[in-house]
Amino acid sequence: KAAKRGNAHLCYFNEEMEQQLLREKTIEDCMGGALALGEFQVYYQPKYCMADNEIVGAEALVRWQNKDYGFMSPAEFIPIFEKNGFIVELDFYVMEQVYKMLQGRLERGEKTVRISINQSRLHFAQKNYIERLNELRDKYGIPRELIELELTESIFAHMKDISEMVDKLKANGYYLSVDDFGAGYSSLNMLKEISIDTLKIDKDFLSGEDKSGRYQKVIQKVVELANDLNMDIICEGVEREEQAEFLQSIGCMYAQGYLYAKPMAEDDFLQLLT
Ligand code: C2E
Ligand code: MG
Ligand code: MG
Ligand code: MG
């Protein structure tokens, strides 16, 4: 009986894996076409100064609406694109859309804010990464202070030569932030060695169960550390008023989260900004 149950379990598991592989295959089959069809869209989520509710920046977040499969979440397709390398092209596509938006605003003399763009770790293995970045920035004539690159924290744990790359990016005028700080690979060493401009505290950190107040103490220390190191600090995933109050009480003044605004289409974002 037990063996039978075991078998059934095994089959179920295989079926699920097969479904998963099929889904991946489907996504891979349509990703190139999706770029050409303009199915990828850039959404923007504003970042706020909590003290005065001013928008101080925004993060560009990719969205995919496929003609056959509908809406797909970045949480699903980004890991697949990181496996097959397509993320390198997609990130540059997102960057170009952001630059087009900024160029238009600048030409019309309209208000702009710094936009942060997520960068996959795969870029760091590309020889011409910085040249490509600079080329695009020059092509659209985007001022340096309007561009920020978000590097996820896991990059720092997994790559040896990262501090060299960070120095190069800084020397080329890129404003840098560590994304998802505290999500699992944090290393204080990283803070010691690497000249990053901003720490983004991961949303899971803030939303975790906190009966003993330990999370709050840890966040408070991280904020102090960032201040001592002259880094800016922002918290993502701020959903509730009491979280915003707590953050301000410990000296973290910037937030990104549903409490303030969800990621939104470009038109909506530009309207909000104006
Ligand atoms: P991330 O860079 O950490 O982006 C923040 C994520 O948190 C976004 O999810 C955003 O929609 C979500 N978020 C913001 N505020 C709240 C909140 O108050 N509550 C909750 N529960 N969630 C909130 P999204 O857009 O689904 O993106 C997921 C991840 O996919 C991103 O995490 C980023 O790692 C990756 N990603 C998105 N766009 C790109 C891209 O263009 N290039 C690359 N390489 N990665 C991207
Ligand atoms: Mg990010
Ligand atoms: Mg993040
Ligand atoms: Mg995150």
Side-chain angles (χ1 to χ4, degrees):
K1 212 176 186 184
K4 245 189 189 167
R5 226 184 3 246
N7 258 338
H9 184 74
L10 206 63
C11 284
Y12 174 71
F13 183 63
N14 281 337
E15 224 168 78
E16 219 175 54
M17 274 173 67
E18 212 176 298
Q19 286 302 317
Q20 176 67 27
L21 283 173
L22 268 177
R23 175 91 180 161
E24 265 190 56
K25 174 96 175 38
T26 308
I27 287 179
E28 291 194 313
D29 285 344
C30 52
M31 67 190 184
L35 206 52
L37 289 169
E39 286 185 351
F40 293 107
Q41 264 201 314
V42 180
Y43 270 48
Y44 294 89
Q45 187 180 31
K47 301 178 184 182
Y48 285 83
C49 172
M50 289 181 275
D52 56 12
N53 277 318
E54 279 286 312
I55 296 177
V56 294
E59 175 172 12
L61 293 160
V62 73
R63 296 290 178 261
W64 184 8
Q65 182 74 40
N66 180 264
K67 60 176 175 10
D68 300 320
Y69 303 100
F71 178 81
M72 282 182 274
S73 161
E76 177 173 21
F77 61 77
I78 299 249
I80 296 172
F81 294 171
E82 293 212 304
K83 259 195 269 173
N84 63 30
F86 182 66
I87 191 68
V88 172
E89 290 320 306
L90 183 60
D91 278 355
F92 274 105
Y93 176 82
V94 167
M95 186 172 273
E96 187 152 13
Q97 304 312 304
V98 171
Y99 288 0
K100 281 180 185 167
M101 180 277 284
L102 285 172
Q103 188 190 48
R105 299 285 289 183
L106 291 167
E107 276 172 5
R108 295 189 298 272
E110 293 163 341
K111 183 183 171 186
T112 53
V113 287
R114 178 185 291 146
I115 307 294
S116 64
I117 305 167
N118 291 286
Q119 296 290 284
S120 164
R121 66 182 166 77
L122 290 197
H123 295 290
F124 299 111
Q126 313 274 307
K127 280 240 148 40
N128 63 347
Y129 175 50
I130 292 189
E131 285 70 31
R132 236 185 129 178
L133 281 179
N134 290 344
E135 242 169 59
L136 206 58
R137 185 176 60 187
D138 293 345
K139 179 176 170 192
Y140 290 93
I142 307 299
R144 297 175 172 207
E145 65 272 14
L146 292 182
I147 308 166
E148 172 175 337
L149 305 179
E150 292 196 8
L151 313 177
T152 158
E153 182 194 68
S154 59
I155 293 178
F156 296 89
H158 290 141
M159 294 190 62
K160 284 210 175 66
D161 315 324
I162 187 72
S163 72
E164 206 176 297
M165 180 55 90
V166 164
D167 289 345
K168 264 195 213 158
L169 286 168
K170 290 300 304 168
N172 280 272
Y174 292 97
Y175 192 96
L176 302 178
S177 54
V178 180
D179 203 355
D180 307 327
F181 188 80
Y185 303 93
S186 280
S187 127
L188 290 174
N189 243 7
M190 174 196 100
L191 294 183
K192 185 180 90 202
E193 286 168 5
I194 291 173
S195 50
I196 287 282
D197 301 288
T198 298
L199 284 189
K200 284 191 85 175
I201 300 179
D202 190 64
K203 59 174 178 295
D204 292 344
F205 226 96
L206 196 63
S207 62
E209 273 284 301
D210 195 10
K211 293 207 177 73
S212 60
R214 286 177 80 96
Y215 277 48
Q216 295 203 337
K217 280 183 191 136
V218 173
I219 293 182
Q220 182 165 6
K221 287 298 167 198
V222 169
V223 171
E224 273 172 32
L225 194 59
N227 285 335
D228 286 350
L229 293 171
N230 281 321
M231 299 168 93
D232 283 328
I233 189 145
I234 180 167
C235 199
E236 64 178 22
V238 178
E239 292 182 350
R240 296 193 308 273
E241 196 62 58
E242 72 259 25
Q243 293 172 327
E245 274 160 24
F246 164 69
L247 288 168
Q248 290 176 85
S249 77
I250 59 167
C252 174
M253 305 317 280
Y254 302 108
Q256 177 184 345
Y258 295 168
L259 177 65
Y260 295 92
K262 291 197 166 171
M264 59 189 90
E266 182 179 305
D267 286 350
D268 297 324
F269 171 63
L270 295 182
Q271 223 175 331
L272 187 69
L273 199 60
T274 302

